Amino acid sequence: KAGVTQTPRYLIKTRGQQVTLSCSPISGHRSVSWYQQTPGQGLQFLFEYFSETQRNKGNFPGRFSGRQFSNSRSEMNVSTLELGDSALYLCASSLSAALNNEQFFGPGTRLTVL
Amino acid sequence: GQNIDQPTEMTATEGAIVQINCTYQTSGFNGLFWYQQHAGEAPTFLSYNVLDGLEEKGRFSSFLSRSKGYSYLLLKELQMKDSASYLCAVRDQFTNAGNNRKLIWGLGTSLAVNP
C-alpha cells in the first residue's frame, strides 16, 4: 500500500507570494491533518479535514487555508508569504477521526521563503 | 495553558537502556502518542497510551500516569539506528464544539546512540 505523498518536496518562494501544497493520503484514509515543523517551535497543528470538512483548526493566521477533495486528497494554501513561513510542512493521514488513530506522515514539503 | 515538556537532548551507549520522559499540562486528555523522527524524514508512530500503565512493544515500551501528567518511552538494547528525535504528543479533550481534540506536540528529544 502506497504511503502518504506530498508535492512538491521542495519549494523556494519570495515574500508576498502565495503557495499551494498538495497531499495524497493513504488509500482508504479519510482524515488528513497538516502541520508546520520548525526547529524552534516543533510540530504545530494547522488544520484537520475529514470527509471534505474542516474539523479542527490550529492557531495560525487566515493566510493559511486548506481544503479536502472528495477523493480525500488535500491542499493547503499560504498567501502573502512571510520569512517566518519557512518550514517543513507535513501532512498526515489516518483511517478515521477516532481519537486513538495513529497518523501516517508524508515526507513533507520544505518551503523556503526569501 | 497547554504545554508538553521533554528533554532536548540525550546520549546513550549501544546496547544500553534509555528512558525519555514527557510531562504534559493540557486542558483535557484523550491519549498520548510517541513518534520517532529520523533526521530529514517524517515522524513514524511508536506507541499510544490512554490508560495508566505500561505498554510493551518489542524493544520499546511506553508508560503513562494520567494523575501525574507524565509519560516515558523506554528503549532497550539500543541500536545505532535508534538515533533519532522522539516526539511526545497529547490528544486534547474533545468538546461539543469539535475543537480542542487536536494533537499537542512536544519539541522532541534528540537521542544520540554512541558505539
Side-chain angles (χ1 to χ4, degrees), chain A residues 5 7 20-26 28-34 47-54 65-77 91 93:
Chain A
T5 58
T7 57
T20 298
L21 311 182
S22 180
C23 170
S24 292
I26 292 173
H29 284 196
R30 297 171 64 190
S31 177
V32 173
S33 297
W34 287 91
F47 20 67
E48 177 188 7
Y49 288 89
F50 182 78
S51 294
E52 302 178 67
T53 301
Q54 187 181 86
S65 63
R67 58 178 175 169
Q68 186 180 33
F69 302 95
S70 59
N71 62 358
S72 294
R73 190 177 71 84
S74 178
E75 289 182 347
M76 68 162 281
N77 185 78
C91 162
S93 78

Side-chain angles (χ1 to χ4, degrees), chain B residues 1-79:
Chain B
Q2 298 170 320
N3 193 51
I4 295 183
D5 287 317
Q6 307 178 231
T8 304
E9 294 179 338
M10 297 184 72
T11 303
T13 305
E14 194 175 15
I17 299 173
V18 71
Q19 177 175 312
I20 302 174
N21 296 325
C22 170
T23 57
Y24 61 90
Q25 292 173 308
T26 55
S27 55
F29 180 82
N30 276 286
L32 185 144
F33 293 81
W34 283 96
Y35 279 78
Q36 179 192 59
Q37 186 176 24
H38 285 100
E41 297 182 12
T44 55
F45 171 81
L46 288 177
S47 69
Y48 172 75
N49 294 68
V50 67
L51 298 176
D52 291 350
L54 188 68
E55 294 278 344
E56 297 187 76
K57 190 184 291 186
R59 293 189 300 114
F60 293 7
S61 302
S62 56
F63 171 84
L64 175 68
S65 169
R66 289 172 295 172
S67 62
K68 296 181 180 178
Y70 167 71
S71 172
Y72 67 72
L73 181 69
L74 193 70
L75 291 74
K76 304 175 187 174
E77 301 169 15
L78 280 172
Q79 301 175 8

